[in-house]
Amino acid sequence: MEAPPMRRYDVRVSVGEDGPVLIQYGEAFTLNALGLEIWKRCDGKTSVADISAAIAQIYAADSELIQADAEEFIGTLRTRGLVTPAPN
């Protein structure tokens, strides 16, 4: 089982004209509403499956579709160094 995603301590969230933005080392990554909901749940304790289930319930959306989107988005956050797997 993959470790839950955890926000990096050096990433700030700011709200700009285009919506919420993650800022790390002067680089910006803009989020949409769904991305922000996922980001807020990357606490190092909540699994991707549980994040997806919560989001699917909020948006009354198909849980399989949300799961696929969440996995892809969290993968992007990991690639950019914005989240890491939680330590064991």
Side-chain angles (χ1 to χ4, degrees):
M1 177 187 258
E2 190 171 311
M6 183 173 68
R7 295 180 300 269
R8 296 245 333 214
Y9 70 91
D10 55 357
V11 178
R12 292 184 308 123
V13 179
S14 179
V15 178
E17 292 178 12
D18 296 328
V21 178
L22 303 179
I23 301 170
Q24 180 187 44
Y25 305 122
E27 297 288 323
F29 183 78
T30 303
L31 301 175
N32 60 21
L34 180 59
L36 181 61
E37 289 297 328
I38 293 170
W39 171 256
K40 290 193 281 187
R41 288 167 174 77
C42 291
D43 57 9
K45 299 174 187 170
T46 309
S47 69
V48 175
D50 289 343
I51 291 171
S52 301
I55 302 297
Q57 188 172 21
I58 289 170
Y59 287 96
D62 179 81
S63 60
E64 289 181 17
L65 178 62
I66 294 293
Q67 174 87 22
D69 287 349
E71 288 175 358
E72 181 179 350
F73 181 68
I74 291 169
T76 299
L77 293 176
R78 281 191 177 130
T79 299
R80 291 179 173 253
L82 301 168
V83 298
T84 60
N88 293 330

